[in-house]
Amino acid sequence: MNDRLVVVEDTASDTTVLDYLRGNTETSTTSHEKRTGTKEGCCSGDCGACTVVVAEPEGDQLKYKTMNACIALMPSLHGKQLLTVEDLTGSDKHPDTKDELHPVQQALVDHHGSQCGFCTPGIVMSLFALHHESAEDKPDVLGALGGNLCRCTGYRPLVDAANSLANAQPDDEFFRNREKTLSKLQTIEQQGSVSGSCAFIPASEGELAQYLLDNPDARILAGGTDLGLDVTQQLEKIDKLVSLQNIPSLQTIHEDSNELVIGSAVTYRSIKSIFTKYYPEFAQMLDRLGSQQIRNQGTLGGNIGNASPIGDTPPVLLALDASLDLRHGDNIRNIPLNKFFLDYKKTELTSGEYIARIRIPKKTHQLKVYKLSKRYGDDISTVLAAINLETNGDGQITRARVALGGMAAIPKRAELCEQILTGSPLNNETLSQAKSAIRQEFKPMSDVRASSEYRLEAACNLLERYFMELSGQNVRIICHA
Ligand SMILES: Cc1cc2nc3c(=O)[nH]c(=O)nc-3n(C[C@H](O)[C@H](O)[C@H](O)COP(=O)(O)OP(=O)(O)OC[C@H]3O[C@@H](n4cnc5c(N)ncnc54)[C@H](O)[C@@H]3O)c2cc1C
Ligand code: FES
Ligand code: FES
């Protein structure tokens, strides 16, 4: 907690950071902080009222990242500095600055960005993290605030407040103490694996693999942005938890001349720059995956392991012919992602096996990624299409990958459609046959997001859009607000 080392020994696996902070009495948590500045709104990661900041070492730097405390489980805090809104105002330790506002709080006041006490603490924490971001990681202001809902002042005053600090260097106690904080956190990191009442936090893949062999019923915790919802929305009890956050080999990205090899616990935030280099369309879509809070914590391995039919990255990875290294004990097998998803939430993973790495060929052809959702940001997909065609000089399609999310019980390649496309010219006749194949192959469900008919129509239209874009036609997107 800020500059205090806290060892929590009596908490259950499914205690959230928010419960721990606020001391909600209905949970099994015995120790807590009674810090009620952090609010509970939706309890599902959507509104940002619970936003806190965690600072963690990355190499020789300290990185400040927002997190939704409502869905973060306690082991996520291991070896990190947790900052809440209470830490920002002058502390009791310095009575002369006790009532002084932090520059981001002052900016909100100056620009009339604060109304209700529910959203403001979370907004303050998002602005605080933005203020402390290094130039290379800095998201744009709207991206940084996309996970904080405010329905009273509107966003203009919030954006004005953020912009007023855009060129200001942080000059607060956190910045001044960063070397000290970094070294304290590195000391914890070097202590190796940790076993406690709420989780096992291994320090190597060997330990993880052995633990999962011995405890095949343990739940794997990566970023927790899906697992946390099982606790807060499905009210699941989690008895055994094993966390991936302290295993360096799962946080690493390697590349050779043919492929990128991404550790399963690498976060969206950390893959952004290398994806921008090799798969710019994919990287652009990531800006619309969840919110900044979610992208800071959520991982590629978690998106695949969760096996949701509306996960955003699996269709793109399918279109790129990605494969997975799955590890069970000392055995590692590599399977194409296309063989991983079996049925709704059923995967190839056997008991005690985990996703170690994701391998993505570097060679792309003409990849385009289209995400349709009700809101532009912080919303899950209604339909996601990832289309990757190779054409020859004569305008003939020589290889086709069309992968769709939201259209079946699993993220799925449109194989019939791909067969029709392969070897055909890029023209209206081919398009029309390919659309019929999609209609034949998919029977999407109707739910709160969209009807089955909408999904089918939308998937076909996205293929049409791809054809138009590939043939150089100007596609004008009309947004109805
Ligand atoms: C507000 C909000 C918005 C969201 N928006 C989007 C969105 O726009 N698009 C989208 O696709 N998703 C979205 N999500 C879902 C979620 O953020 C992603 O699926 C994310 O990638 C999950 O990664 P994680 O590291 O947090 O996984 P976790 O929650 O840690 O794990 C998810 C599941 O995968 C398992 N798992 C994790 N790692 C492994 C592994 N290495 N091997 C085997 N199993 C593993 C876990 O046991 C768990 O069952 C959103 C979630 C929230 C709360
Ligand atoms: S309470 Fe709404 S995001 Fe956490
Ligand atoms: S500050 Fe709460 S709705 Fe705007």
mmCIF file of all heavy atoms in Angstrom, residues 73 89 99 121 213 250 367 417 433 448 457 464:
data_model
loop_
_atom_site.group_PDB
_atom_site.id
_atom_site.type_symbol
_atom_site.label_atom_id
_atom_site.label_comp_id
_atom_site.label_asym_id
_atom_site.label_seq_id
_atom_site.Cartn_x
_atom_site.Cartn_y
_atom_site.Cartn_z
ATOM 1 N N LEU A 73 -8.232 -10.015 -8.474
ATOM 2 C CA LEU A 73 -8.114 -10.879 -7.290
ATOM 3 C C LEU A 73 -6.812 -10.545 -6.560
ATOM 4 O O LEU A 73 -5.837 -10.085 -7.164
ATOM 5 C CB LEU A 73 -8.160 -12.349 -7.711
ATOM 6 C CG LEU A 73 -9.454 -12.752 -8.452
ATOM 7 C CD1 LEU A 73 -9.422 -14.223 -8.852
ATOM 8 C CD2 LEU A 73 -10.694 -12.472 -7.597
ATOM 9 N N THR A 89 -3.839 12.764 -2.090
ATOM 10 C CA THR A 89 -3.894 14.027 -1.356
ATOM 11 C C THR A 89 -2.788 13.998 -0.304
ATOM 12 O O THR A 89 -2.359 12.923 0.084
ATOM 13 C CB THR A 89 -5.261 14.158 -0.635
ATOM 14 O OG1 THR A 89 -6.207 13.394 -1.346
ATOM 15 C CG2 THR A 89 -5.716 15.582 -0.565
ATOM 16 N N ASP A 99 -4.087 18.975 3.171
ATOM 17 C CA ASP A 99 -5.269 19.302 2.366
ATOM 18 C C ASP A 99 -4.931 19.677 0.929
ATOM 19 O O ASP A 99 -5.784 20.122 0.180
ATOM 20 C CB ASP A 99 -6.051 20.444 3.023
ATOM 21 C CG ASP A 99 -6.588 20.003 4.374
ATOM 22 O OD1 ASP A 99 -6.974 18.825 4.477
ATOM 23 O OD2 ASP A 99 -6.576 20.821 5.318
ATOM 24 N N PRO A 121 -13.320 9.563 -8.080
ATOM 25 C CA PRO A 121 -12.067 8.929 -7.628
ATOM 26 C C PRO A 121 -11.429 8.056 -8.712
ATOM 27 O O PRO A 121 -10.205 8.081 -8.890
ATOM 28 C CB PRO A 121 -12.519 8.056 -6.444
ATOM 29 C CG PRO A 121 -13.800 8.670 -5.972
ATOM 30 C CD PRO A 121 -14.452 9.251 -7.192
ATOM 31 N N LEU A 213 0.134 -30.347 -12.268
ATOM 32 C CA LEU A 213 0.033 -31.817 -12.265
ATOM 33 C C LEU A 213 -0.540 -32.288 -10.933
ATOM 34 O O LEU A 213 -1.412 -33.152 -10.884
ATOM 35 C CB LEU A 213 1.420 -32.452 -12.439
ATOM 36 C CG LEU A 213 2.020 -32.518 -13.839
ATOM 37 C CD1 LEU A 213 3.305 -33.329 -13.809
ATOM 38 C CD2 LEU A 213 1.039 -33.135 -14.832
ATOM 39 N N LEU A 250 6.827 -16.514 -19.243
ATOM 40 C CA LEU A 250 5.473 -16.346 -19.788
ATOM 41 C C LEU A 250 5.154 -14.884 -20.094
ATOM 42 O O LEU A 250 4.100 -14.566 -20.626
ATOM 43 C CB LEU A 250 4.423 -16.906 -18.810
ATOM 44 C CG LEU A 250 4.475 -18.416 -18.555
ATOM 45 C CD1 LEU A 250 3.336 -18.846 -17.642
ATOM 46 C CD2 LEU A 250 4.407 -19.202 -19.861
ATOM 47 N N LEU A 367 -4.271 -8.689 -44.436
ATOM 48 C CA LEU A 367 -5.107 -8.868 -43.236
ATOM 49 C C LEU A 367 -5.929 -7.613 -42.956
ATOM 50 O O LEU A 367 -5.393 -6.505 -42.938
ATOM 51 C CB LEU A 367 -4.223 -9.176 -42.024
ATOM 52 C CG LEU A 367 -4.962 -9.254 -40.687
ATOM 53 C CD1 LEU A 367 -5.791 -10.535 -40.598
ATOM 54 C CD2 LEU A 367 -3.998 -9.190 -39.513
ATOM 55 N N CYS A 417 -16.403 -21.041 -47.091
ATOM 56 C CA CYS A 417 -16.177 -19.746 -47.747
ATOM 57 C C CYS A 417 -14.718 -19.674 -48.254
ATOM 58 O O CYS A 417 -14.463 -19.255 -49.394
ATOM 59 C CB CYS A 417 -16.480 -18.645 -46.737
ATOM 60 S SG CYS A 417 -16.016 -17.014 -47.231
ATOM 61 N N GLN A 433 -20.859 -15.850 -54.115
ATOM 62 C CA GLN A 433 -20.784 -17.266 -53.723
ATOM 63 C C GLN A 433 -20.213 -17.420 -52.308
ATOM 64 O O GLN A 433 -20.654 -18.260 -51.522
ATOM 65 C CB GLN A 433 -19.896 -18.030 -54.706
ATOM 66 C CG GLN A 433 -20.548 -18.238 -56.048
ATOM 67 C CD GLN A 433 -19.583 -18.882 -57.032
ATOM 68 O OE1 GLN A 433 -18.551 -19.415 -56.664
ATOM 69 N NE2 GLN A 433 -19.920 -18.810 -58.314
ATOM 70 N N VAL A 448 -28.857 -10.639 -26.563
ATOM 71 C CA VAL A 448 -29.082 -9.229 -26.253
ATOM 72 C C VAL A 448 -28.295 -8.297 -27.185
ATOM 73 O O VAL A 448 -28.696 -7.167 -27.436
ATOM 74 C CB VAL A 448 -28.748 -8.995 -24.755
ATOM 75 C CG1 VAL A 448 -27.329 -9.394 -24.448
ATOM 76 C CG2 VAL A 448 -28.981 -7.578 -24.330
ATOM 77 N N GLU A 457 -26.018 -11.192 -41.682
ATOM 78 C CA GLU A 457 -25.968 -10.084 -42.645
ATOM 79 C C GLU A 457 -24.667 -9.289 -42.455
ATOM 80 O O GLU A 457 -23.992 -8.935 -43.426
ATOM 81 C CB GLU A 457 -27.193 -9.174 -42.395
ATOM 82 C CG GLU A 457 -27.459 -8.143 -43.454
ATOM 83 C CD GLU A 457 -27.916 -8.772 -44.765
ATOM 84 O OE1 GLU A 457 -28.510 -9.860 -44.716
ATOM 85 O OE2 GLU A 457 -27.629 -8.178 -45.824
ATOM 86 N N GLU A 464 -17.916 -8.187 -47.919
ATOM 87 C CA GLU A 464 -18.087 -7.270 -49.057
ATOM 88 C C GLU A 464 -17.200 -6.035 -48.889
ATOM 89 O O GLU A 464 -16.554 -5.573 -49.822
ATOM 90 C CB GLU A 464 -19.562 -6.853 -49.173
ATOM 91 C CG GLU A 464 -19.813 -5.958 -50.356
ATOM 92 C CD GLU A 464 -21.303 -5.840 -50.688
ATOM 93 O OE1 GLU A 464 -22.100 -6.645 -50.179
ATOM 94 O OE2 GLU A 464 -21.642 -4.919 -51.436
#
